[in-house]
Amino acid sequence: MAAKEERWRELAEVKRELAERDWFPATSGNLSIKVSDGPLTFLVTASGKDKRKETDEDFLLIDEYGKPAETGHSLKPSAETLLHTYLYQKTDAGCCLHVHTVNNNVISELYGDEKQITFQGQEMIKALGLWEENASVTVPIIDNPAHIPALAENFAHHAAAGSGAVLIRNHGITAWGRTAFEAKRVLEAYEFLFSCHLKLLSLRPQLVK
Amino acid sequence: MAAKEERWRELAEVKRELAERDWFPATSGNLSIKVSDGPLTFLVTASGKDKRKETDEDFLLIDEYGKPAETGHSLKPSAETLLHTYLYQKTDAGCCLHVHTVNNNVISELYGDEKQITFQGQEMIKALGLWEENASVTVPIIDNPAHIPALAENFAHHAAAGSGAVLIRNHGITAWGRTAFEAKRVLEAYEFLFSCHLKLLSLRPQLVK
Amino acid sequence: MAAKEERWRELAEVKRELAERDWFPATSGNLSIKVSDGPLTFLVTASGKDKRKETDEDFLLIDEYGKPAETGHSLKPSAETLLHTYLYQKTDAGCCLHVHTVNNNVISELYGDEKQITFQGQEMIKALGLWEENASVTVPIIDNPAHIPALAENFAHHAAAGSGAVLIRNHGITAWGRTAFEAKRVLEAYEFLFSCHLKLLSLRPQLVK
Amino acid sequence: MAAKEERWRELAEVKRELAERDWFPATSGNLSIKVSDGPLTFLVTASGKDKRKETDEDFLLIDEYGKPAETGHSLKPSAETLLHTYLYQKTDAGCCLHVHTVNNNVISELYGDEKQITFQGQEMIKALGLWEENASVTVPIIDNPAHIPALAENFAHHAAAGSGAVLIRNHGITAWGRTAFEAKRVLEAYEFLFSCHLKLLSLRPQLVK
């Protein structure tokens, strides 16, 4: 199967699973997966589509400058394609998932002023590749300027390493990994950590590190 | 495909998705979609049906006076058809979705005395077509008289523009758009904003603008 | 289709939907549907089965004394069949649904000492057949003796009218109606009212009537 | 059907159901089922797999020393296979389910210092085989050393009887039973008890025994 078809299949599978969890409310969210290096090309979700549906117009191929790499269609890439472009230019990420969930939005507002949130001691942190005892992980929280290039700049500062995540205040999370499998694991791990944190916070605020 | 069949298919698809989210508890909720102008006709959900099921009696055609436009069936239109009729008479809405969810009921009671709730600064507001920085949106909350004509009058005051929403206290939300796609996006956006608001309120009341 | 087969199909459909909502945790819950009067026979869920599965051993026919009405099988009726028997003996109920949900358990404990909870002014109350302005409805909450005959006696005191519900403290709800359609509507309406009540209680305790 | 194939089918069915509940976030969780005694062999989930998917590489056969019992494949057993091995060596358990849910993680942290949590008076306790009036049940909560052998030792202290459960702080629950059916019932019962407890705690802390 050609690389593009294989990556399309992988991204469609991740999209299906995230849609089953209802993680694309009101057509929000955007996903991408790298197809080639030298030159960089990647598939990104088409703008404004209902991501609970599956069609052969779900994704379009983008070049290293963030522009459509193929003609003969009228699809527009997601408005936030620039963030994905910067990520692939700066790291060896292979897949990037941006979703709006209630929990990631609430966490991003609660800790927006601190500009980050740290988790420590949860077993789930191993899913992020950190295996030592009492490991901790910190997620940066950036502001959400309406002007996408400004947002992309903010994001690019924190885009390092092949896997990771950045919260965008009152907006959502962008999580990435070297493969679709890793990106989905990273996203699921953080959403789990956010859910536990919020539930603990609602019960025993002082317990939350 | 004739307009009526096409609109039936679109409304059935929206109904299916909202049913998957369990947004029709106890046969509550009613949906409609415009079929024609001059004269106005629209399809509306039949009264008392279990909206988790799909049958060819799910909807019936209604005329500009809110009455069944076709004979040969014993279906009754939803008790709240008058609200849909006024909406199509007053605006260029093309689809109207009324659902009862726990979150929209709780929001409508919490802010019922203020008669409105305002959201500001959330990325999700873009799904309502408001793209400027720190945009805000206000949802009116109307009382819920048992007498439907009185309810419809209350609602009609706020029915303006091709898309929007009105909360009905301790009852539910009515959201609309020019198309089924837009109406569903508007409904999903507001339900997301309600969920975030309630979760933030339960954690840091002072944070909620 | 003979009455027994038709009722079996209706009860299986309700069971499927309640299972989709995960309302049968740890094989809990029991359902029944009347098949005949004079003499009374009804179908009830077999004891200890995983109600998320569908087999031809899901239900068995019970007689007016609460005993298996047919031989040739080794199925045991649910341990709480006596409650269903009393209900059909005392009222014109046609279907009875008993489920354990987190919300009905929490409501039953929170208001267990008051022995009842009242809801007023919610639109959802119309689903219980009460259409007047600001209608109210009260659900009795009975204790949960381990001895089933004692539990059934407690329950029978409150089993009146063709539709209704009784909460059993730290146990669950039993809701009924003249048909499977009505019983499911009654159950869904109460579960919705419980969910709204608990969410409001967690946000503005004083708001909860 | 050979014992191994039958046990594989049973474990796959349980895995499918737990996946539907989204109880394997970020590839977490591990499941096993005993295939033979004298010598002990059991099937365990392969490490790092996405447990929402079903493949013929989901499980592998393990011997009494916790090592792969068959060659010709490159599958690695779950990192926590040692816990399952100890359980089958020490008790007559037949199936062991380890999952990370938000509620079991939050309970394990809230009561981690007390090293246990006790439930009393809930009907759901009958699903754990305790039928007397006002029965109570206590779940031990052990610490979560990163070193698996140390974790397995902690766990083994509490692994007694054919069915039961142990919470691992900020990690998850391990629940077991003599069969897949019993193990799933035990797991579902505890997750239900945790959910009720947390909701009651958030509403009326003093009510929670």
Side-chain angles (χ1 to χ4, degrees):
Chain A
M1 196 187 281
K4 182 185 162 191
E5 275 166 53
E6 181 55 15
R7 297 292 90 75
W8 181 296
R9 194 189 57 73
E10 287 168 16
L11 194 59
E13 206 175 287
V14 170
K15 178 163 100 48
R16 193 176 311 132
E17 235 183 280
L18 304 187
E20 272 166 30
R21 289 200 185 102
D22 216 356
W23 281 6
F24 299 121
T27 75
S28 65
N30 41 75
L31 318 175
S32 71
I33 193 164
K34 192 161 72 174
V35 174
S36 68
D37 275 304
L40 164 67
T41 63
F42 59 93
L43 289 168
V44 78
T45 33
S47 175
K49 294 256 179 203
D50 184 339
K51 292 173 189 69
R52 290 172 64 105
K53 305 280 187 302
E54 284 195 39
T55 76
D56 55 17
E57 293 193 327
D58 285 349
F59 312 122
L60 65 153
L61 196 67
I62 298 296
D63 67 20
E64 56 189 313
Y65 308 105
K67 303 300 176 208
E70 296 169 329
T71 56
H73 64 76
S74 61
L75 298 173
K76 281 200 323 174
S78 156
E80 293 164 11
T81 295
L82 196 53
L83 282 80
H84 299 257
T85 310
Y86 283 171
L87 180 70
Y88 294 130
Q89 288 172 349
K90 284 195 64 185
T91 74
D92 63 347
C95 179
C96 178
L97 312 174
H98 170 68
V99 297
H100 304 198
T101 67
V102 171
N103 285 345
N104 70 35
N105 265 249
V106 169
I107 286 271
S108 76
E109 172 58 20
L110 282 179
Y111 297 93
D113 293 344
E114 287 98 329
K115 303 230 176 284
Q116 67 178 37
I117 179 168
T118 296
F119 300 96
Q120 182 165 24
Q122 286 81 4
E123 175 73 7
M124 191 54 80
I125 290 176
K126 286 184 185 167
L128 303 171
L130 304 168
W131 296 84
E132 66 277 18
E133 192 89 25
N134 212 21
S136 79
V137 67
T138 296
V139 187
I141 304 174
I142 62 176
D143 285 335
N144 180 38
H147 184 54
I148 299 291
L151 173 62
E153 285 294 329
N154 285 356
F155 171 75
H157 290 312
H158 301 279
S163 76
V166 172
L167 277 164
I168 307 172
R169 190 167 189 170
N170 279 317
H171 181 156
I173 191 170
T174 297
W176 66 88
R178 294 164 192 81
T179 63
F181 187 83
E182 183 181 30
K184 186 169 83 77
R185 196 183 63 220
V186 169
L187 175 61
E188 289 176 2
Y190 278 117
E191 289 292 333
F192 183 85
L193 291 169
F194 299 154
S195 305
C196 290
H197 185 90
L198 292 176
K199 196 155 245 192
L200 261 174
L201 194 62
S202 72
L203 292 160
R204 296 270 167 70
Q206 73 285 11
L207 259 186
V208 181
K209 291 151 205 125
Chain B
M1 195 186 283
K4 181 186 162 191
E5 275 167 54
E6 182 55 17
R7 297 292 91 74
W8 181 295
R9 195 189 57 74
E10 288 168 13
L11 194 60
E13 206 176 289
V14 170
K15 178 163 99 51
R16 193 176 312 133
E17 236 183 277
L18 304 187
E20 273 166 29
R21 290 199 184 103
D22 216 356
W23 281 6
F24 299 121
T27 74
S28 66
N30 40 74
L31 317 175
S32 71
I33 194 164
K34 192 161 71 173
V35 173
S36 69
D37 275 303
L40 164 66
T41 61
F42 60 92
L43 288 168
V44 77
T45 34
S47 176
K49 292 253 180 211
D50 183 340
K51 292 174 189 67
R52 291 172 63 105
K53 304 280 187 303
E54 284 195 39
T55 76
D56 54 17
E57 294 192 325
D58 285 349
F59 312 123
L60 64 153
L61 197 67
I62 297 296
D63 66 21
E64 56 189 315
Y65 308 106
K67 303 302 176 205
E70 296 169 329
T71 55
H73 64 77
S74 61
L75 297 173
K76 280 199 324 174
S78 157
E80 293 163 11
T81 296
L82 195 53
L83 282 80
H84 300 256
T85 311
Y86 283 171
L87 181 70
Y88 295 128
Q89 289 172 347
K90 285 195 64 186
T91 74
D92 63 347
C95 180
C96 179
L97 312 175
H98 170 67
V99 296
H100 304 199
T101 67
V102 170
N103 284 345
N104 70 36
N105 265 249
V106 169
I107 285 273
S108 75
E109 171 59 18
L110 281 179
Y111 297 92
D113 293 344
E114 287 98 329
K115 303 225 175 287
Q116 67 178 37
I117 179 167
T118 296
F119 299 98
Q120 183 165 23
Q122 286 81 6
E123 176 73 6
M124 191 54 80
I125 291 175
K126 286 185 184 167
L128 303 171
L130 304 168
W131 296 85
E132 67 277 17
E133 192 88 24
N134 213 21
S136 79
V137 66
T138 297
V139 187
I141 303 174
I142 62 175
D143 285 334
N144 180 39
H147 185 54
I148 300 291
L151 173 63
E153 286 294 330
N154 283 358
F155 171 74
H157 289 314
H158 301 278
S163 76
V166 172
L167 278 164
I168 307 171
R169 190 168 190 170
N170 279 316
H171 182 157
I173 192 170
T174 298
W176 66 88
R178 294 163 191 82
T179 63
F181 187 82
E182 183 181 31
K184 186 168 85 77
R185 197 183 63 219
V186 169
L187 174 62
E188 289 176 1
Y190 279 117
E191 290 292 334
F192 184 86
L193 291 169
F194 299 154
S195 305
C196 289
H197 185 89
L198 292 175
K199 196 155 244 191
L200 259 174
L201 194 62
S202 73
L203 292 160
R204 295 271 169 67
Q206 74 284 13
L207 260 185
V208 181
K209 290 148 204 129
Chain C
M1 196 187 281
K4 182 186 161 192
E5 274 166 55
E6 182 55 17
R7 297 292 89 74
W8 182 295
R9 195 191 57 73
E10 287 168 15
L11 194 59
E13 205 176 288
V14 170
K15 178 163 96 59
R16 192 176 312 132
E17 236 183 279
L18 304 186
E20 271 166 30
R21 288 199 185 103
D22 215 357
W23 281 4
F24 299 122
T27 75
S28 65
N30 42 74
L31 318 175
S32 72
I33 193 164
K34 191 160 71 171
V35 172
S36 69
D37 275 305
L40 164 66
T41 61
F42 60 93
L43 288 168
V44 77
T45 34
S47 175
K49 292 255 180 208
D50 183 339
K51 293 174 189 65
R52 292 172 63 107
K53 305 283 189 300
E54 285 196 37
T55 75
D56 55 16
E57 294 194 324
D58 285 348
F59 313 121
L60 65 154
L61 197 67
I62 298 296
D63 68 20
E64 57 190 315
Y65 308 106
K67 303 301 177 208
E70 296 169 328
T71 55
H73 65 76
S74 61
L75 298 172
K76 280 199 327 173
S78 156
E80 293 162 12
T81 296
L82 195 53
L83 283 79
H84 300 255
T85 310
Y86 283 170
L87 180 70
Y88 295 129
Q89 288 172 349
K90 285 195 63 186
T91 74
D92 63 347
C95 180
C96 178
L97 311 174
H98 170 67
V99 296
H100 304 199
T101 68
V102 171
N103 285 344
N104 70 35
N105 265 249
V106 169
I107 285 273
S108 74
E109 172 58 18
L110 282 179
Y111 297 92
D113 294 343
E114 286 99 329
K115 303 233 176 282
Q116 67 179 37
I117 179 168
T118 297
F119 299 96
Q120 182 164 22
Q122 285 82 5
E123 175 74 7
M124 191 53 82
I125 291 175
K126 286 184 185 168
L128 303 171
L130 304 167
W131 296 84
E132 65 278 20
E133 191 87 26
N134 213 21
S136 80
V137 65
T138 297
V139 187
I141 305 174
I142 62 175
D143 286 334
N144 180 38
H147 184 54
I148 298 291
L151 172 62
E153 285 294 331
N154 283 358
F155 171 73
H157 289 315
H158 300 280
S163 76
V166 172
L167 278 164
I168 307 172
R169 192 167 188 172
N170 279 316
H171 182 155
I173 190 171
T174 298
W176 67 88
R178 295 164 193 80
T179 64
F181 187 82
E182 183 181 31
K184 185 167 86 76
R185 196 183 63 218
V186 169
L187 173 62
E188 289 175 2
Y190 278 117
E191 288 293 333
F192 183 86
L193 291 169
F194 300 154
S195 304
C196 290
H197 185 90
L198 291 176
K199 196 154 245 193
L200 260 174
L201 194 62
S202 74
L203 293 159
R204 296 271 168 67
Q206 73 286 10
L207 259 186
V208 180
K209 291 146 206 133
Chain D
M1 195 186 282
K4 182 186 162 192
E5 274 166 53
E6 182 56 14
R7 298 291 89 77
W8 181 295
R9 194 189 58 72
E10 287 168 16
L11 194 60
E13 205 175 288
V14 170
K15 177 162 103 49
R16 193 176 311 131
E17 236 184 278
L18 304 186
E20 272 165 30
R21 290 201 185 98
D22 216 355
W23 281 5
F24 299 122
T27 75
S28 65
N30 40 74
L31 317 175
S32 71
I33 193 164
K34 192 161 71 173
V35 173
S36 69
D37 274 304
L40 164 67
T41 62
F42 60 92
L43 289 168
V44 77
T45 33
S47 175
K49 293 256 178 205
D50 184 339
K51 293 175 189 66
R52 292 171 64 106
K53 304 281 188 301
E54 284 195 37
T55 76
D56 55 16
E57 293 194 327
D58 285 348
F59 312 121
L60 64 153
L61 197 66
I62 298 296
D63 67 20
E64 56 188 315
Y65 308 105
K67 303 301 175 207
E70 296 170 329
T71 56
H73 64 76
S74 61
L75 298 173
K76 280 200 322 171
S78 155
E80 292 163 11
T81 296
L82 195 54
L83 284 79
H84 300 255
T85 310
Y86 283 170
L87 180 69
Y88 294 129
Q89 289 172 350
K90 284 196 63 185
T91 74
D92 64 348
C95 180
C96 178
L97 311 175
H98 170 68
V99 296
H100 305 198
T101 67
V102 171
N103 285 345
N104 71 35
N105 264 249
V106 169
I107 286 272
S108 75
E109 172 58 19
L110 282 179
Y111 298 92
D113 294 343
E114 287 98 327
K115 304 233 176 282
Q116 67 179 38
I117 179 168
T118 296
F119 300 96
Q120 181 164 23
Q122 285 82 4
E123 174 74 8
M124 191 54 81
I125 291 175
K126 286 184 183 167
L128 303 170
L130 305 168
W131 296 84
E132 66 276 19
E133 191 90 26
N134 212 21
S136 80
V137 65
T138 296
V139 187
I141 304 174
I142 62 175
D143 285 334
N144 179 38
H147 185 54
I148 299 291
L151 173 62
E153 286 294 331
N154 285 358
F155 171 74
H157 290 314
H158 300 279
S163 75
V166 172
L167 278 163
I168 307 172
R169 192 167 188 171
N170 278 316
H171 181 154
I173 190 171
T174 298
W176 66 88
R178 294 164 192 80
T179 63
F181 186 82
E182 183 181 31
K184 187 167 84 76
R185 196 183 62 220
V186 169
L187 174 61
E188 289 175 3
Y190 279 117
E191 289 293 333
F192 183 85
L193 291 169
F194 299 155
S195 304
C196 290
H197 185 90
L198 291 176
K199 195 154 247 192
L200 260 174
L201 194 62
S202 73
L203 292 160
R204 297 270 167 67
Q206 72 287 9
L207 260 185
V208 180
K209 291 147 205 127

